[in-house]
Amino acid sequence: MNKREIGAKKEQIAAQYLSENGYEILSTNFYTRTGELDLVARKNAYVIFVEVKYRTGIGNGHPLEAVTPGKQRRILQAARYYLYRNGYPEDTPCRFDVIGILGEEIIHVKGAFEG
């Protein structure tokens, strides 16, 4: 498998994990000119933008470390566009989560960064 196929598989695993934990998946791989949203979900009143990162081991760093401030800015821009494009009001409660997959372990950080 190439990197894109592996990434898609890990995003499917993350989506399944979220679904099993009461999240409704609204969108996968939402692309904009400024960035991509791996997963968009809803739970209770929140729209949740989820970045998924995968590593086989920590030799290349922990997957959560890959969500740099620059990556966060691109996610925020894409999230704003997603909300606008889908007609959500400006005061829609949102959250930015990161799911790190390290080998077979899933680490879900809720509210990983502010929007």
Side-chain angles (χ1 to χ4, degrees):
M1 272 198 275
N2 65 36
K3 284 185 176 187
R4 184 170 296 275
E5 292 170 333
I6 292 169
K9 178 72 173 158
K10 299 305 176 182
E11 288 171 5
Q12 287 176 338
I13 290 169
Q16 181 178 347
Y17 165 85
L18 290 170
S19 293
E20 290 171 356
N21 285 281
Y23 292 76
E24 175 189 359
I25 303 301
L26 302 175
S27 183
T28 60
N29 299 94
F30 179 82
Y31 291 97
T32 72
R33 290 188 312 200
T34 59
E36 174 198 358
L37 301 171
D38 292 336
L39 300 171
V40 182
R42 181 184 2 237
K43 187 168 185 181
N44 303 322
Y46 282 85
V47 174
I48 303 154
F49 300 97
V50 183
E51 178 68 10
V52 179
K53 290 296 182 187
Y54 169 73
R55 298 286 186 273
T56 56
I58 58 171
N60 290 323
H62 196 281
L64 300 178
E65 295 172 342
V67 186
T68 62
K71 180 70 173 171
Q72 291 173 20
R73 280 191 299 278
R74 289 188 298 278
I75 292 168
L76 289 169
Q77 290 173 335
R80 285 187 194 106
Y81 182 70
Y82 177 90
L83 293 170
Y84 167 78
R85 174 105 186 257
N86 289 284
Y88 286 93
E90 288 185 26
D91 61 349
T92 299
C94 297
R95 192 174 80 206
F96 297 89
D97 291 6
V98 176
I99 291 183
I101 301 176
L102 183 58
E104 298 299 316
E105 179 185 10
I106 297 174
I107 305 127
H108 182 186
V109 180
K110 298 175 184 173
F113 58 93
E114 295 294 317

